[in-house]
């Protein structure tokens, strides 16, 4: 039986949140280590431009903003809709293999949100027309929809653009999400953007079994429902049953069966867990059907908002115990931390907050405030 604390420590270990992994100073190994971390995590959720920077900072000692910004600009990593149909930062190697595996998620989302508006439209024709447009010039969804509406005037432009998003693997191009810069969400096809990399024989994630195995390495031990919550894919119990001979199985405190990789770390539940500030939208909090291994239902309710904004979370003793929000001005940065309960680790939380401000606003005046997040 694995206790809740044992599951917590296993998750933190695989998420690289028990001990920071120090990045090498040499450019080549440093670059490889950042890409390797992104691949180990099977991407970082990135519907907002900059949370992946904080996600990597919380896991990699010595991480600097340019470590990710450079990979975005040189096309070593990309922003694309994959798991749950949500934008993630993934490596160029993982981009198309991941996208192909989660195609059913995109199909289901399109049918559910825009099926009636697209009735009578030939999906292949819309996809081909959209691909031609975005490969000629990266476009916003608004501009893409307006161009497509000239050919399909009886259908809403937004629905036509989303049809292209579902059927063509679209990546967001720089300067979007490049640290210190701003830019619209402009899209082109992954094949066009990545060129020869997109044509290479994919060495990872060729099957659903490969995807599930990668999930367990980063998020296990886990149930089929957990893998579904993370990926958006259904029918994964059959995949886990196929993998069963190569996996270990456990029971949690409620008797639920959990699957895991034999060689994956499972630290004792009493292993100390340092204070961490996890990024906004961090998959640490969002990738299990049963989130109790890292956050209580009450705390998750406090993090969730009606407008879809998901603040950063404060981890104390391995569990979410508060949230944080950063406010930036030209010469000042204020980090507000709201703890859900009084905590003895107040000094450690402040120290981690100072470390974050030194990372994201080294030249600004810093302010750390404990209190409600507006």
């Amino acid at each position: 039986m694995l206790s809740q604390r044992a599951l917590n420590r296993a998750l933190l270990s695989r998420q690289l949140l028990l001990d920071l992994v120090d990045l090498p100073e040499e450019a080549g190994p440093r670059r490889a280590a950042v890409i390797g971390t992104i691949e180990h995590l099977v991407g970082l959720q990135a519907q907002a431009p900059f949370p992946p920077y904080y996600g990597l900072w919380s896991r990699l000692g010595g991480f600097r903003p340019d470590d990710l910004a450079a990979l975005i600009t040189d096309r070593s990593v990309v922003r694309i809709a994959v798991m749950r149909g949500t934008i993630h930062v993934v490596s160029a190697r993982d981009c198309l293999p991941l996208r192909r595996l989660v195609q059913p998620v995109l199909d289901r989302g399109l049918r559910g949100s825009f099926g009636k508006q697209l009735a009578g439209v030939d999906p292949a024709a819309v996809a081909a027309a959209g691909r031609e447009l975005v490969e000629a010039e990266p476009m916003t969804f608004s501009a893409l929809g307006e161009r497509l509406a000239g050919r399909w005037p009886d259908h809403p432009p937004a629905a036509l653009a989303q049809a292209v998003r579902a059927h063509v693997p679209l990546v967001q191009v720089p300067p979007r999400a490049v640290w210190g810069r701003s830019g619209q969400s402009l899209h082109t096809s992954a094949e066009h953007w990545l060129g020869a990399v997109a044509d290479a024989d994919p060495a990872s994630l060729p099957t659903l079994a490969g995807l599930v195995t990668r999930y367990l390495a980063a998020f296990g031990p886990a149930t089929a429902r957990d893998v579904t919550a993370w990926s958006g894919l259904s029918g994964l119990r059959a995949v886990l049953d196929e993998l069963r001979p190569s996996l270990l199985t456990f029971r949690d405190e409620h008797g639920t069966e959990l699957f895991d990789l034999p060689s994956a770390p499972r630290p004792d539940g009493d292993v100390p867990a340092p204070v961490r500030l996890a990024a906004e939208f961090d998959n640490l909090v969002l990738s299990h059907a049963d989130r109790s291994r890292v956050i209580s239902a009450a705390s998750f309710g406090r993090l969730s908002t009606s407008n879809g904004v998901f603040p950063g979370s404060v981890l104390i003793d391995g569990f979410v115990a508060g949230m944080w929000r950063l406010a930036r001005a030209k010469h000042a940065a204020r980090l507000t931390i709201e703890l859900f309960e009084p905590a003895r680790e107040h000094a450690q939380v402040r120290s981690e907050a100072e470390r974050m401000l030194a990372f994201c606003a080294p030249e600004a005046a810093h302010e750390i405030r404990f209190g409600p997040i507006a």
Side-chain angles (χ1 to χ4, degrees):
M1 191 270 288
L2 291 177
S3 69
Q4 183 186 61
R5 290 184 63 86
L7 288 172
N8 173 268
R9 295 314 194 250
L11 176 61
L12 294 182
S13 176
R14 298 176 204 198
Q15 286 288 301
L16 313 179
L17 289 166
L18 276 184
D19 298 296
L20 291 180
V21 177
D22 289 325
L23 287 175
E25 285 301 322
E26 299 85 353
R30 187 181 186 91
R31 171 192 178 87
V34 175
I35 295 174
T37 299
I38 293 170
E39 291 183 339
H40 168 73
L41 298 171
V42 205
L44 295 104
Q45 190 158 321
Q47 63 262 54
F50 301 110
Y53 291 87
Y54 294 91
L56 290 169
W57 163 83
S58 68
R59 292 167 167 90
L60 299 175
F63 176 79
R64 297 186 290 266
D66 192 56
D67 291 324
L68 178 57
L71 297 177
I72 292 173
T73 55
D74 73 11
R75 311 188 189 197
S76 297
V77 304
V78 295
R79 294 165 53 81
I80 186 170
V82 279
M83 284 73 69
R84 306 183 298 281
T86 303
I87 298 293
H88 283 66
V89 166
V90 301
S91 73
R93 285 188 294 254
D94 275 349
C95 174
L96 284 173
L98 266 177
R99 181 59 172 73
R100 291 175 185 130
L101 287 174
V102 301
Q103 183 61 47
V105 180
L106 279 294
D107 293 340
R108 186 174 66 244
L110 183 69
R111 287 194 303 270
S113 298
F114 299 98
K116 291 182 179 179
Q117 298 178 44
L118 293 169
V121 172
D122 179 0
V126 173
R131 179 185 288 276
E132 183 177 358
L133 287 168
V134 298
E135 290 185 352
E137 177 185 11
M139 305 180 76
T140 65
F141 283 139
S142 176
L144 175 61
E146 290 299 329
R147 292 287 300 274
L148 292 170
R151 181 169 170 183
W152 288 276
D154 296 329
H155 299 276
L160 294 168
Q162 289 303 309
V164 178
R165 179 183 186 267
H167 295 295
V168 179
L170 297 178
V171 298
Q172 293 183 2
V173 303
R176 181 72 169 174
V178 174
W179 189 270
R181 301 177 66 184
S182 61
Q184 293 180 296
S185 297
L186 300 174
H187 305 83
T188 190
S189 74
E191 296 91 342
H192 181 73
W193 185 250
L194 295 175
V197 174
D199 296 330
D201 181 33
S204 63
L205 299 174
T207 65
L208 284 176
L211 180 66
V212 170
T213 300
R214 292 261 308 259
Y215 171 81
L216 292 175
F219 296 96
T223 67
R225 290 181 63 243
D226 292 326
V227 193
T228 293
W230 167 75
S231 66
L233 292 163
S234 59
L236 296 178
R237 178 70 196 206
V239 177
L240 282 163
D241 284 338
E242 176 188 334
L243 289 169
R244 186 182 290 271
S246 64
L247 301 177
L248 297 180
T249 58
F250 301 91
R251 298 282 174 177
D252 66 13
E253 293 176 345
H254 306 290
T256 304
E257 186 179 41
L258 303 162
F259 296 85
D260 204 10
L261 304 177
S263 60
R266 286 176 292 276
D268 188 84
D270 293 330
V271 169
V275 168
R276 294 281 188 247
L277 300 184
E280 301 167 296
F281 304 103
D282 201 298
N283 275 338
L284 169 78
V285 181
L286 298 171
S287 296
H288 295 85
D290 178 4
R291 303 185 180 99
S292 63
R293 70 184 65 198
V294 70
I295 185 171
S296 69
S299 294
F300 188 81
R302 295 181 70 168
L303 286 180
S304 303
T305 61
S306 59
N307 61 1
V309 175
F310 200 91
S313 53
V314 181
L315 301 180
I316 296 178
D317 189 30
F319 293 87
V320 175
M323 52 190 175
W324 62 266
R325 184 161 292 155
L326 181 68
R328 294 289 305 272
K330 187 173 183 180
H331 300 295
R334 182 179 68 205
L335 185 60
T336 302
I337 297 172
E338 179 178 343
L339 298 179
F340 299 150
E341 301 289 344
R344 292 175 297 177
E345 296 85 353
H346 201 275
Q348 293 97 309
V349 175
R350 178 175 286 276
S351 176
E352 190 72 351
E354 291 170 348
R355 192 174 76 87
M356 174 181 282
L357 289 170
F359 157 75
C360 67
E363 305 300 326
H366 296 168
E367 178 188 358
I368 300 171
R369 186 176 71 85
F370 287 84
I373 292 177

